[in-house]
Amino acid sequence: MTSDAISAHIRSQLAPLVTAIDEEGFYPEAFLRGLGPLGGFVGYEDLARQIEVTTEVGRLCGATAFLVWCQSTCAWYLRQAPNEAVRERYLAPIARAELLAGTGMSNPVKHLAGIENINLLARRDGDSYVVNGTLPWVSNVGPGHIAMVAAAVENDGYAMLATPCGAEGIALLPCPKFSGLEGTRTRSLRFADYRVEPDHVLAHPNEFAAFIRRIKPGFLLGQTGIGFGIVEGSLRDIRAASAGRAHVNVYLDHQGPDLAEELSALQAQAQVLSKATQGGRGPILEALKLRARVSELALKATQSAALHAGAKGYLMRHPAQRRLREALFVAIVTPALKHLRKEIQDLERTQAAAA
Protein backbone atom coordinates (compact mmCIF):
# COMPACT_ATOMS: atom_id res chain seq x y z
CA MET A 1 0.00 0.00 0.00
CA THR A 2 1.14 3.54 -0.69
CA SER A 3 1.56 5.89 2.24
CA ASP A 4 -1.14 8.35 3.27
CA ALA A 5 1.28 11.17 2.47
CA ILE A 6 1.73 9.97 -1.11
CA SER A 7 -2.02 9.53 -1.56
CA ALA A 8 -2.65 13.03 -0.22
CA HIS A 9 0.04 14.45 -2.52
CA ILE A 10 -1.58 12.79 -5.53
CA ARG A 11 -5.03 14.11 -4.62
CA SER A 12 -3.96 17.65 -3.83
CA GLN A 13 -1.11 18.26 -6.28
CA LEU A 14 -1.86 16.05 -9.28
CA ALA A 15 -5.66 15.85 -9.53
CA PRO A 16 -6.09 19.56 -10.41
CA LEU A 17 -3.52 19.25 -13.22
CA VAL A 18 -4.81 16.24 -15.16
CA THR A 19 -6.73 18.19 -17.81
CA ALA A 20 -3.84 20.60 -18.38
CA ILE A 21 -1.38 17.70 -18.63
CA ASP A 22 -3.50 15.95 -21.25
CA GLU A 23 -4.89 18.86 -23.27
CA GLU A 24 -2.18 21.51 -22.88
CA GLY A 25 0.94 19.38 -22.53
CA PHE A 26 1.63 20.69 -19.03
CA TYR A 27 4.67 19.05 -17.45
CA PRO A 28 4.01 18.31 -13.73
CA GLU A 29 7.51 19.05 -12.48
CA ALA A 30 6.49 20.32 -9.04
CA PHE A 31 4.41 17.17 -8.45
CA LEU A 32 7.38 14.93 -9.32
CA ARG A 33 9.77 16.86 -7.13
CA GLY A 34 7.30 16.70 -4.24
CA LEU A 35 6.84 12.96 -4.67
CA GLY A 36 10.53 12.19 -4.14
CA PRO A 37 10.83 13.17 -0.45
CA LEU A 38 7.67 11.15 0.28
CA GLY A 39 9.26 7.92 -0.97
CA GLY A 40 7.69 7.92 -4.41
CA PHE A 41 10.79 6.65 -6.23
CA VAL A 42 11.90 3.67 -4.15
CA GLY A 43 11.88 0.97 -6.82
CA TYR A 44 15.64 0.53 -6.58
CA GLU A 45 15.13 -0.92 -3.09
CA ASP A 46 11.46 -2.02 -3.22
CA LEU A 47 10.17 -2.68 -6.73
CA ALA A 48 6.83 -4.06 -5.53
CA ARG A 49 6.12 -0.86 -3.64
CA GLN A 50 7.17 1.23 -6.64
CA ILE A 51 4.57 -0.53 -8.77
CA GLU A 52 1.94 0.38 -6.18
CA VAL A 53 2.97 4.05 -6.24
CA THR A 54 2.96 4.15 -10.04
CA THR A 55 -0.43 2.43 -10.06
CA GLU A 56 -1.96 5.03 -7.75
CA VAL A 57 -0.64 7.85 -9.92
CA GLY A 58 -1.81 6.07 -13.10
CA ARG A 59 -5.31 5.64 -11.70
CA LEU A 60 -5.58 9.40 -12.04
CA CYS A 61 -3.16 10.23 -14.89
CA GLY A 62 -1.37 7.76 -17.15
CA ALA A 63 1.05 10.38 -18.49
CA THR A 64 2.30 11.22 -15.02
CA ALA A 65 2.55 7.53 -14.15
CA PHE A 66 4.88 7.18 -17.11
CA LEU A 67 7.03 10.00 -15.74
CA VAL A 68 7.12 8.25 -12.36
CA TRP A 69 8.33 5.15 -14.15
CA CYS A 70 11.04 7.14 -15.98
CA GLN A 71 12.34 8.63 -12.74
CA SER A 72 12.22 5.44 -10.69
CA THR A 73 13.75 3.36 -13.49
CA CYS A 74 16.78 5.64 -13.70
CA ALA A 75 17.31 5.02 -9.99
CA TRP A 76 16.94 1.28 -10.72
CA TYR A 77 19.68 1.49 -13.38
CA LEU A 78 22.01 3.21 -10.93
CA ARG A 79 21.35 0.70 -8.16
CA GLN A 80 22.38 -2.13 -10.49
CA ALA A 81 25.33 -0.29 -12.07
CA PRO A 82 28.76 -1.85 -11.44
CA ASN A 83 30.39 1.61 -11.38
CA GLU A 84 30.23 2.85 -7.80
CA ALA A 85 31.25 6.41 -8.71
CA VAL A 86 28.18 7.11 -10.87
CA ARG A 87 25.93 5.42 -8.31
CA GLU A 88 27.28 7.56 -5.48
CA ARG A 89 26.94 10.70 -7.55
CA TYR A 90 23.38 10.30 -8.81
CA LEU A 91 21.31 7.62 -7.04
CA ALA A 92 20.26 9.63 -3.98
CA PRO A 93 19.45 12.87 -5.86
CA ILE A 94 17.32 10.99 -8.37
CA ALA A 95 15.52 8.97 -5.67
CA ARG A 96 14.70 12.21 -3.86
CA ALA A 97 13.72 13.90 -7.17
CA GLU A 98 16.25 16.66 -6.58
CA LEU A 99 17.51 15.68 -10.03
CA LEU A 100 14.93 14.63 -12.64
CA ALA A 101 15.94 11.89 -15.05
CA GLY A 102 14.89 10.39 -18.36
CA THR A 103 15.57 6.89 -19.59
CA GLY A 104 16.73 6.96 -23.21
CA MET A 105 16.76 3.19 -23.58
CA SER A 106 13.98 2.73 -26.13
CA ASN A 107 16.31 2.58 -29.11
CA PRO A 108 18.95 0.34 -27.44
CA VAL A 109 16.31 -2.09 -26.16
CA LYS A 110 14.81 -2.38 -29.65
CA HIS A 111 18.28 -2.71 -31.15
CA LEU A 112 19.20 -5.55 -28.80
CA ALA A 113 15.98 -7.32 -29.81
CA GLY A 114 16.96 -7.12 -33.49
CA ILE A 115 14.29 -4.54 -34.36
CA GLU A 116 16.29 -1.43 -35.33
CA ASN A 117 19.82 -0.05 -35.58
CA ILE A 118 21.34 1.73 -32.60
CA ASN A 119 21.41 5.52 -32.90
CA LEU A 120 24.31 6.57 -30.67
CA LEU A 121 27.93 5.76 -31.50
CA ALA A 122 30.87 6.25 -29.16
CA ARG A 123 34.64 5.98 -29.35
CA ARG A 124 36.93 5.25 -26.44
CA ASP A 125 39.27 7.94 -25.22
CA GLY A 126 41.05 6.38 -22.27
CA ASP A 127 38.36 5.62 -19.69
CA SER A 128 36.05 8.22 -21.26
CA TYR A 129 33.76 8.08 -24.29
CA VAL A 130 33.01 10.60 -27.04
CA VAL A 131 29.40 10.23 -28.23
CA ASN A 132 27.69 11.25 -31.47
CA GLY A 133 24.20 10.68 -32.88
CA THR A 134 20.56 11.58 -32.30
CA LEU A 135 18.32 9.73 -29.88
CA PRO A 136 14.57 10.34 -30.44
CA TRP A 137 11.72 10.09 -27.98
CA VAL A 138 13.42 10.57 -24.61
CA SER A 139 10.92 11.56 -21.91
CA ASN A 140 11.29 13.43 -18.61
CA VAL A 141 14.20 15.51 -19.90
CA GLY A 142 14.99 19.20 -20.00
CA PRO A 143 17.65 21.68 -18.92
CA GLY A 144 19.09 20.56 -15.61
CA HIS A 145 17.83 16.99 -16.04
CA ILE A 146 19.91 13.91 -16.82
CA ALA A 147 19.35 11.12 -19.35
CA MET A 148 20.52 7.52 -19.13
CA VAL A 149 21.50 6.29 -22.61
CA ALA A 150 23.45 3.53 -24.32
CA ALA A 151 25.84 3.76 -27.25
CA ALA A 152 27.62 1.33 -29.53
CA VAL A 153 31.37 1.58 -28.92
CA GLU A 154 33.69 1.21 -31.91
CA ASN A 155 34.65 -2.47 -32.23
CA ASP A 156 33.87 -3.01 -28.55
CA GLY A 157 30.17 -3.66 -27.82
CA TYR A 158 28.08 -1.13 -25.88
CA ALA A 159 28.34 1.29 -22.96
CA MET A 160 25.62 2.72 -20.70
CA LEU A 161 26.09 6.38 -19.84
CA ALA A 162 24.63 9.17 -17.70
CA THR A 163 24.40 12.36 -19.77
CA PRO A 164 23.38 15.76 -18.29
CA CYS A 165 20.82 17.46 -20.54
CA GLY A 166 21.78 20.91 -21.72
CA ALA A 167 25.51 20.27 -21.37
CA GLU A 168 27.74 21.49 -24.18
CA GLY A 169 27.55 18.90 -26.92
CA ILE A 170 23.96 17.79 -26.13
CA ALA A 171 21.07 19.58 -27.83
CA LEU A 172 17.41 19.13 -26.83
CA LEU A 173 15.15 19.09 -29.89
CA PRO A 174 11.33 19.13 -30.07
CA CYS A 175 9.41 16.05 -31.23
CA PRO A 176 6.24 15.96 -33.37
CA LYS A 177 3.08 16.44 -31.32
CA PHE A 178 1.57 13.30 -29.79
CA SER A 179 -2.15 12.50 -29.59
CA GLY A 180 -1.63 12.02 -25.87
CA LEU A 181 1.15 11.99 -23.27
CA GLU A 182 2.18 15.50 -24.37
CA GLY A 183 2.92 16.45 -20.78
CA THR A 184 5.85 14.04 -20.52
CA ARG A 185 8.55 16.50 -21.69
CA THR A 186 9.60 14.21 -24.54
CA ARG A 187 12.51 15.42 -26.67
CA SER A 188 15.16 14.19 -29.07
CA LEU A 189 18.76 14.36 -27.84
CA ARG A 190 21.45 15.25 -30.36
CA PHE A 191 25.00 14.40 -29.30
CA ALA A 192 27.91 16.14 -31.07
CA ASP A 193 31.31 14.99 -29.81
CA TYR A 194 29.93 14.88 -26.27
CA ARG A 195 32.54 13.61 -23.83
CA VAL A 196 31.41 11.24 -21.08
CA GLU A 197 33.85 11.11 -18.17
CA PRO A 198 34.48 7.88 -16.21
CA ASP A 199 32.29 8.88 -13.26
CA HIS A 200 29.30 9.09 -15.64
CA VAL A 201 29.64 5.53 -16.98
CA LEU A 202 27.11 3.03 -15.65
CA ALA A 203 28.56 0.07 -17.54
CA HIS A 204 31.56 -0.38 -19.82
CA PRO A 205 31.40 -2.81 -22.78
CA ASN A 206 32.81 -5.72 -20.77
CA GLU A 207 30.08 -5.13 -18.15
CA PHE A 208 27.19 -4.25 -20.44
CA ALA A 209 25.63 -7.66 -21.19
CA ALA A 210 25.43 -8.65 -17.51
CA PHE A 211 24.15 -5.17 -16.63
CA ILE A 212 21.30 -5.40 -19.16
CA ARG A 213 20.32 -8.81 -17.80
CA ARG A 214 20.08 -7.28 -14.32
CA ILE A 215 18.06 -4.19 -15.24
CA LYS A 216 15.66 -5.49 -17.89
CA PRO A 217 13.18 -7.44 -15.71
CA GLY A 218 12.77 -4.43 -13.41
CA PHE A 219 12.48 -2.15 -16.45
CA LEU A 220 9.54 -4.26 -17.65
CA LEU A 221 7.86 -4.81 -14.29
CA GLY A 222 8.01 -1.14 -13.42
CA GLN A 223 5.93 -0.37 -16.51
CA THR A 224 3.11 -2.61 -15.31
CA GLY A 225 2.18 0.04 -12.75
CA ILE A 226 1.27 2.43 -15.57
CA GLY A 227 -1.11 -0.12 -17.07
CA PHE A 228 -2.52 -1.18 -13.71
CA GLY A 229 -3.39 2.40 -12.85
CA ILE A 230 -5.12 2.99 -16.18
CA VAL A 231 -7.15 -0.19 -15.72
CA GLU A 232 -8.15 0.79 -12.17
CA GLY A 233 -9.27 4.18 -13.48
CA SER A 234 -11.30 2.46 -16.20
CA LEU A 235 -13.00 0.22 -13.64
CA ARG A 236 -14.01 3.35 -11.77
CA ASP A 237 -15.44 4.79 -15.02
CA ILE A 238 -17.34 1.56 -15.67
CA ARG A 239 -18.91 1.63 -12.21
CA ALA A 240 -19.93 5.25 -12.65
CA ALA A 241 -21.48 4.60 -16.07
CA SER A 242 -23.33 1.50 -14.95
CA ALA A 243 -25.03 3.30 -12.08
CA GLY A 244 -27.71 4.50 -14.48
CA ARG A 245 -27.27 2.22 -17.49
CA ALA A 246 -26.75 -1.24 -16.04
CA HIS A 247 -29.86 -2.53 -17.84
CA VAL A 248 -28.21 -1.94 -21.23
CA ASN A 249 -24.50 -2.06 -20.34
CA VAL A 250 -24.97 -5.69 -19.35
CA TYR A 251 -24.90 -6.53 -23.08
CA LEU A 252 -21.29 -5.36 -23.50
CA ASP A 253 -18.56 -7.98 -23.87
CA HIS A 254 -16.32 -7.04 -20.94
CA GLN A 255 -17.90 -6.36 -17.57
CA GLY A 256 -16.29 -4.68 -14.59
CA PRO A 257 -16.13 -7.72 -12.29
CA ASP A 258 -14.43 -9.84 -14.95
CA LEU A 259 -11.90 -7.13 -15.73
CA ALA A 260 -11.26 -6.60 -12.01
CA GLU A 261 -10.61 -10.31 -11.51
CA GLU A 262 -8.08 -10.35 -14.36
CA LEU A 263 -6.41 -7.23 -12.98
CA SER A 264 -6.11 -8.74 -9.51
CA ALA A 265 -4.42 -11.85 -10.89
CA LEU A 266 -1.89 -9.80 -12.85
CA GLN A 267 -1.15 -7.56 -9.87
CA ALA A 268 -0.52 -10.60 -7.69
CA GLN A 269 1.88 -11.96 -10.29
CA ALA A 270 3.66 -8.59 -10.46
CA GLN A 271 4.23 -8.63 -6.72
CA VAL A 272 5.75 -12.13 -6.85
CA LEU A 273 8.00 -11.31 -9.81
CA SER A 274 9.07 -8.00 -8.29
CA LYS A 275 10.34 -9.70 -5.15
CA ALA A 276 12.23 -12.23 -7.28
CA THR A 277 13.70 -9.40 -9.37
CA GLN A 278 14.83 -7.11 -6.57
CA GLY A 279 18.37 -8.46 -6.49
CA GLY A 280 18.77 -8.08 -10.25
CA ARG A 281 18.10 -11.71 -11.15
CA GLY A 282 14.47 -11.65 -12.24
CA PRO A 283 12.92 -14.19 -14.64
CA ILE A 284 12.91 -12.33 -17.95
CA LEU A 285 10.43 -14.52 -19.85
CA GLU A 286 7.79 -14.23 -17.13
CA ALA A 287 8.34 -10.46 -16.97
CA LEU A 288 7.89 -10.13 -20.73
CA LYS A 289 4.68 -12.17 -20.65
CA LEU A 290 3.24 -10.17 -17.76
CA ARG A 291 4.08 -6.87 -19.43
CA ALA A 292 2.29 -8.05 -22.59
CA ARG A 293 -0.81 -9.15 -20.67
CA VAL A 294 -0.97 -5.79 -18.91
CA SER A 295 -0.95 -4.04 -22.31
CA GLU A 296 -3.73 -6.28 -23.54
CA LEU A 297 -5.83 -5.75 -20.42
CA ALA A 298 -5.38 -1.97 -20.56
CA LEU A 299 -6.61 -1.89 -24.16
CA LYS A 300 -9.59 -4.08 -23.28
CA ALA A 301 -10.54 -2.21 -20.12
CA THR A 302 -10.31 1.28 -21.59
CA GLN A 303 -12.39 0.35 -24.62
CA SER A 304 -14.96 -1.22 -22.32
CA ALA A 305 -15.08 1.91 -20.15
CA ALA A 306 -15.71 4.10 -23.19
CA LEU A 307 -18.47 1.79 -24.40
CA HIS A 308 -20.05 1.71 -20.94
CA ALA A 309 -20.04 5.51 -20.86
CA GLY A 310 -21.63 5.75 -24.30
CA ALA A 311 -21.67 9.14 -26.01
CA LYS A 312 -20.38 10.82 -22.84
CA GLY A 313 -17.25 8.71 -23.11
CA TYR A 314 -16.46 10.40 -26.42
CA LEU A 315 -16.40 13.88 -24.93
CA MET A 316 -12.98 15.48 -24.42
CA ARG A 317 -13.77 16.17 -20.79
CA HIS A 318 -14.58 12.53 -20.03
CA PRO A 319 -11.67 10.46 -18.66
CA ALA A 320 -12.63 7.40 -20.71
CA GLN A 321 -11.36 8.87 -23.99
CA ARG A 322 -8.12 10.00 -22.34
CA ARG A 323 -7.55 6.55 -20.90
CA LEU A 324 -8.05 5.02 -24.35
CA ARG A 325 -5.10 7.07 -25.61
CA GLU A 326 -3.06 6.28 -22.51
CA ALA A 327 -3.66 2.55 -22.92
CA LEU A 328 -2.64 2.73 -26.56
CA PHE A 329 0.59 4.34 -25.40
CA VAL A 330 1.21 1.46 -22.97
CA ALA A 331 0.87 -0.91 -25.93
CA ILE A 332 3.18 1.20 -28.13
CA VAL A 333 5.90 2.45 -25.78
CA THR A 334 9.06 0.33 -25.76
CA PRO A 335 8.74 -2.54 -25.48
CA ALA A 336 5.62 -2.33 -27.62
CA LEU A 337 3.16 -5.21 -27.67
CA LYS A 338 4.56 -6.49 -30.99
CA HIS A 339 8.10 -6.20 -29.59
CA LEU A 340 7.10 -8.15 -26.48
CA ARG A 341 5.56 -10.92 -28.54
CA LYS A 342 8.69 -11.13 -30.69
CA GLU A 343 10.98 -11.43 -27.66
CA ILE A 344 8.69 -13.99 -26.03
CA GLN A 345 8.71 -16.13 -29.16
CA ASP A 346 12.47 -15.81 -29.58
CA LEU A 347 13.12 -16.83 -25.97
CA GLU A 348 10.68 -19.73 -26.08
CA ARG A 349 12.31 -21.03 -29.27
CA THR A 350 15.77 -20.73 -27.73
CA GLN A 351 14.65 -22.59 -24.62
CA ALA A 352 12.98 -25.28 -26.69
CA ALA A 353 16.09 -25.75 -28.80
CA ALA A 354 18.25 -25.99 -25.68
CA ALA A 355 15.90 -28.59 -24.19
Side-chain angles (χ1 to χ4, degrees), residues 49-62:
R49 176 173 167 77
Q50 184 64 60
I51 292 172
E52 291 175 347
V53 173
T54 307
T55 297
E56 185 163 356
V57 173
R59 192 184 305 146
L60 195 63
C61 179

Side-chain angles (χ1 to χ4, degrees), residues 50 133 156 177 233 294 323:
Q50 184 64 60
D156 197 19
K177 188 175 182 178
V294 171
R323 294 194 222 279

